[in-house]
Amino acid sequence: MPHNIRTILERLNSSEYRVTWQRWAIIKEIVLNKDRQLSAEDVYNLIKQDYPEIGLATIYRTLDLLTDLGMLQRVSFGDGKTRYGLADGGSQYQNHLICVRCGAVEAFDEAFLRSLEEAVGEANQFQVIDHEVKFFGVCKACQKEAPARQRS
Amino acid sequence: MPHNIRTILERLNSSEYRVTWQRWAIIKEIVLNKDRQLSAEDVYNLIKQDYPEIGLATIYRTLDLLTDLGMLQRVSFGDGKTRYGLADGGSQYQNHLICVRCGAVEAFDEAFLRSLEEAVGEANQFQVIDHEVKFFGVCKACQKEAPARQRS
DNA sequence: GTTGTTGCAAACTGTTTGCATAGTA
DNA sequence: TACTATGCAAACAGTTTGCAACAAC
């Protein structure tokens, strides 16, 4: 279920919503940076390079819209900013390795989580719909720079 | 490694920091509500009942201090507020089941996660220090109220 | 007495909203 | 044309900070 620019615009088009160049530009940046999870301001700055007239409020409104339509999903890393990534059917973008040294964020495959989700749901009589898993630690690059210590 | 009021105050006392009634009160509320994860404002409102003179800024400063000292840890549920819970050695309070209907939050045992942490760390050459796992879904109580549907 | 801590108010940051204007279908 | 979407500025919510008064050790 690949989410490219075309599929998203088609879906927008077939709804009651309109396709504007602003929405096009926002979707473009999200797709081009699908490995990164952009914040509203990230998107704003990227687009302003080419179209200085765009407004921050438009970014927020469009990001909300695309999230409501199920094309994006919100992620937060606890830094006070909401970030957005392609929803992409499954939720592989909800699984993160976050480096506590350099702040790098990478995704990991969620195959690991299938059985966990089931086991936890059963044990707690909780009907699981979605998950969000973050592992904090030291990434490969930072491990090389200095011997790793436990959190100070 | 139980964190009760006494141990925390002792640790504060043996540091360069001072023990004030404000800090005492804040720690008391956190410990009394250790099953709940309070936000700064939650703590503020609780304490104001008994001591209306306390200031919100003090709450924030103390919560930051206790977090830096490793006694508390920050948690966020994506609602824009930072919440705090006892760090308590391990991190069982970082595992949450969040009901998307009523907003209830409960913790689940982390025994499930030990092997997952190892496997993911190894597969990605990432040295895991801590984790934060959230399952979103429908809690037992809400399942009774109405037949469960997928997220609308 | 010295130095850390507090309350208050002002400042900040990320996000939302009202409104007149502009653009899409 | 009809109605949605935009940009701007003001409004908001949560959090941080400067500072003079105050309290712990």
Side-chain angles (χ1 to χ4, degrees):
Chain A
M1 194 190 283
H3 261 137
N4 53 40
I5 300 184
R6 231 163 295 131
T7 27
I8 293 182
L9 286 177
E10 269 164 26
R11 221 165 132 189
L12 241 196
N13 210 5
S14 64
S15 65
E16 69 201 294
Y17 303 104
R18 294 174 179 174
V19 178
T20 63
W21 65 262
Q22 290 93 332
R23 285 176 179 174
W24 176 287
I26 291 167
I27 292 166
K28 194 186 85 184
E29 292 301 342
I30 296 277
V31 171
L32 286 179
N33 294 277
K34 65 175 137 202
D35 52 320
R36 274 221 299 132
Q37 338 285 144
L38 303 174
S39 68
E41 216 188 339
D42 291 338
V43 177
Y44 181 55
N45 290 327
L46 285 167
I47 296 180
K48 254 204 321 195
Q49 293 173 14
D50 293 326
Y51 309 94
E53 331 83 89
I54 200 159
L56 228 199
T58 302
I59 309 282
Y60 278 105
R61 283 188 279 232
T62 301
L63 258 17
D64 281 352
L65 174 66
L66 295 176
T67 303
D68 287 348
L69 291 178
M71 300 174 205
L72 301 184
Q73 53 191 348
R74 276 179 256 264
V75 196
S76 95
F77 298 147
D79 63 348
K81 302 184 187 185
T82 303
R83 285 151 201 288
Y84 297 82
L86 284 173
D88 221 358
S91 54
Q92 67 164 294
Y93 294 106
Q94 296 290 56
N95 306 323
H96 301 290
L97 300 174
I98 302 168
C99 180
V100 297
R101 291 241 183 103
C102 66
V105 178
E106 52 181 308
F108 68 87
D109 185 69
E110 71 164 14
F112 297 105
L113 290 169
R114 296 257 173 263
S115 56
L116 177 70
E117 206 174 80
E118 270 177 41
V120 170
E122 235 168 78
N124 297 276
Q125 298 189 261
F126 188 91
Q127 184 191 13
V128 179
I129 295 175
D130 201 359
H131 63 252
E132 188 177 313
V133 176
K134 295 175 201 160
F135 286 120
F136 298 91
V138 183
C139 70
K140 212 192 318 186
C142 287
Q143 283 174 43
K144 281 183 200 155
E145 281 178 25
R149 271 166 292 135
Q150 288 300 93
R151 233 207 292 248
S152 63
Chain B
M1 194 190 285
H3 262 138
N4 53 39
I5 300 184
R6 234 164 292 132
T7 28
I8 293 182
L9 287 178
E10 271 164 23
R11 221 166 133 187
L12 243 196
N13 210 5
S14 64
S15 64
E16 67 201 296
Y17 303 106
R18 294 174 180 174
V19 178
T20 62
W21 66 261
Q22 290 93 334
R23 285 176 180 174
W24 176 286
I26 291 167
I27 293 167
K28 193 186 85 182
E29 293 301 343
I30 296 277
V31 171
L32 286 179
N33 293 278
K34 65 174 138 203
D35 52 319
R36 273 221 301 132
Q37 340 282 144
L38 303 174
S39 69
E41 216 187 340
D42 290 337
V43 176
Y44 181 56
N45 290 328
L46 285 168
I47 295 181
K48 254 203 322 195
Q49 294 173 13
D50 293 325
Y51 309 94
E53 330 84 270
I54 200 157
L56 227 200
T58 301
I59 310 281
Y60 278 106
R61 283 188 280 232
T62 302
L63 256 18
D64 281 352
L65 175 66
L66 295 175
T67 303
D68 287 348
L69 291 177
M71 300 174 204
L72 301 183
Q73 52 191 350
R74 275 179 257 264
V75 196
S76 96
F77 298 146
D79 63 346
K81 302 183 188 187
T82 303
R83 285 151 201 288
Y84 297 81
L86 284 173
D88 221 357
S91 54
Q92 69 165 290
Y93 294 106
Q94 297 291 55
N95 305 324
H96 302 290
L97 301 174
I98 303 168
C99 182
V100 298
R101 292 242 182 99
C102 66
V105 177
E106 53 181 307
F108 69 88
D109 185 68
E110 71 165 14
F112 297 105
L113 290 169
R114 294 258 174 260
S115 56
L116 177 69
E117 205 173 80
E118 270 176 41
V120 171
E122 237 168 78
N124 297 275
Q125 299 188 260
F126 189 89
Q127 184 191 10
V128 179
I129 294 175
D130 201 0
H131 62 252
E132 187 177 315
V133 176
K134 296 175 201 160
F135 285 120
F136 298 90
V138 184
C139 70
K140 212 191 321 185
C142 288
Q143 284 176 41
K144 281 184 201 153
E145 281 180 21
R149 271 168 292 136
Q150 289 299 94
R151 230 201 299 239
S152 65

